[in-house]
Amino acid sequence: MIEDIADSEPFAPFERWLALAHKSEELAETMTLATATPTGVPSVRAVLLKGVDHRGFVFYTNLESRKSGELFVNPHAALCFHWKSLARQVRVEGLAEQVTEDEADGYYASRARGSQIAAWSSDQSRILENREQLEKRVEMSTNRFADRSVIPRPNFWSGFRIVPDHVEFWQDQPSRLHDRLVFIRDGESWRRERLFP
Ligand SMILES: Cc1cc2nc3c(=O)[nH]c(=O)nc-3n(C[C@H](O)[C@H](O)[C@H](O)COP(=O)(O)O)c2cc1C
């Protein structure tokens, strides 16, 4: 019940909800990321949450992808977590900023070697002629780093942090009389409001 959220900021309740979701769902860290062009044409896709703290919500991606291109020219972004098993969603709105080089290096180093090779091999979001072209790229990257135990992070691959100004907690309730609680950034603190369902 949303009544249980007595916090004065959204990050602690978010972490509680995510922890609960992990107990009942696979890939509970999946979030839908919305970006938009400067003229307001939106696009959405799923990405994985790889870090959250009082600064915001972090994911990693190819910096030359469609989403990154949109965020570089229009940093306004929105996220949606939907946990079906809990009948809950969390909506986040804010501005995207790139994570530091150190953060990106740290996360890249933690990935499986195959995922590191994949990052080098994919021109994410651009046209692929056929599956063989991708497989050839993977083979080339594999050979390139064959004698290196540590694969460096490509400079075209990093992360973004969505620094939120709105975080809404939504909980299903009978007869569609759902609970909605939104935290709105107000300078250094957060204002809490309830919304009609
Ligand atoms: C469950 C799930 C998790 C995903 N996680 C990521 C991710 O963390 N980073 C990423 O770049 N793409 C991820 N993808 C792929 C994206 O949804 C998307 O296809 C890709 O990033 C290209 O998006 P774009 O062309 O809009 O930039 C994920 C897809 C799914 C279904």
Side-chain angles (χ1 to χ4, degrees), residues 30 45-48 60-61 65-67 124-125:
T30 306
R45 78 289 287 153
V47 292
L48 297 180
Y60 288 89
T61 196
S65 65
R66 177 176 177 184
K67 72 181 86 54
Q124 193 176 57
S125 312

Side-chain angles (χ1 to χ4, degrees):
M1 291 280 288
I2 275 196
E3 281 71 17
D4 291 336
I5 298 182
D7 309 70
S8 56
E9 52 77 32
F11 299 107
F14 176 80
E15 291 191 40
R16 289 200 300 274
W17 279 33
L18 179 63
L20 198 61
H22 274 304
K23 288 186 181 155
S24 58
E25 283 187 31
E26 294 291 308
L27 286 175
E29 72 275 29
T30 306
M31 54 192 190
T32 302
L33 163 73
T35 58
T37 66
T39 55
V41 179
S43 64
V44 297
R45 78 289 287 153
V47 292
L48 297 180
L49 178 72
K50 291 296 174 183
V52 60
D53 60 22
H54 67 282
R55 294 170 297 172
F57 300 79
V58 173
F59 67 92
Y60 288 89
T61 196
N62 183 306
L63 295 179
E64 295 166 1
S65 65
R66 177 176 177 184
K67 72 181 86 54
S68 299
E70 292 185 356
L71 290 173
F72 283 129
V73 293
N74 173 15
H76 290 275
L79 304 170
C80 182
F81 296 84
H82 176 208
W83 298 303
K84 290 182 189 169
S85 61
L86 302 176
R88 285 178 171 182
Q89 78 174 336
V90 173
R91 296 169 57 177
V92 175
E93 290 159 38
L95 292 180
E97 60 178 34
Q98 226 181 294
V99 301
T100 64
E101 300 289 295
D102 281 353
E103 278 180 280
D105 286 342
Y107 175 62
Y108 185 80
S110 77
R111 302 183 91 207
R113 193 173 175 90
S115 303
Q116 294 178 333
I117 296 274
W120 276 104
S121 310
S122 175
D123 290 342
Q124 193 176 57
S125 312
R126 282 145 288 172
I127 290 173
L128 175 67
E129 296 303 332
N130 49 45
R131 186 79 196 173
E132 289 67 45
Q133 186 187 5
L134 179 60
E135 284 164 6
K136 187 87 197 145
R137 288 285 201 92
V138 171
E139 192 184 323
M140 283 164 56
S141 304
T142 304
N143 292 339
R144 177 176 171 188
F145 297 114
D147 57 355
R148 296 178 70 164
S149 60
V150 175
I151 300 180
R153 176 175 59 89
N155 60 9
F156 55 81
W157 193 96
S158 185
F160 289 95
R161 174 175 286 108
I162 308 301
V163 179
D165 48 47
H166 278 67
V167 182
E168 181 195 320
F169 294 81
W170 184 102
Q171 171 75 64
D172 179 73
Q173 294 294 348
S175 303
R176 302 191 188 263
L177 297 174
H178 313 301
D179 273 328
R180 299 179 68 186
L181 177 67
V182 60
F183 289 84
I184 301 162
R185 195 185 284 277
D186 190 2
E188 294 294 299
S189 57
W190 294 85
R191 197 174 84 238
R192 293 162 49 111
E193 304 285 359
R194 285 183 169 277
L195 302 178
F196 278 100

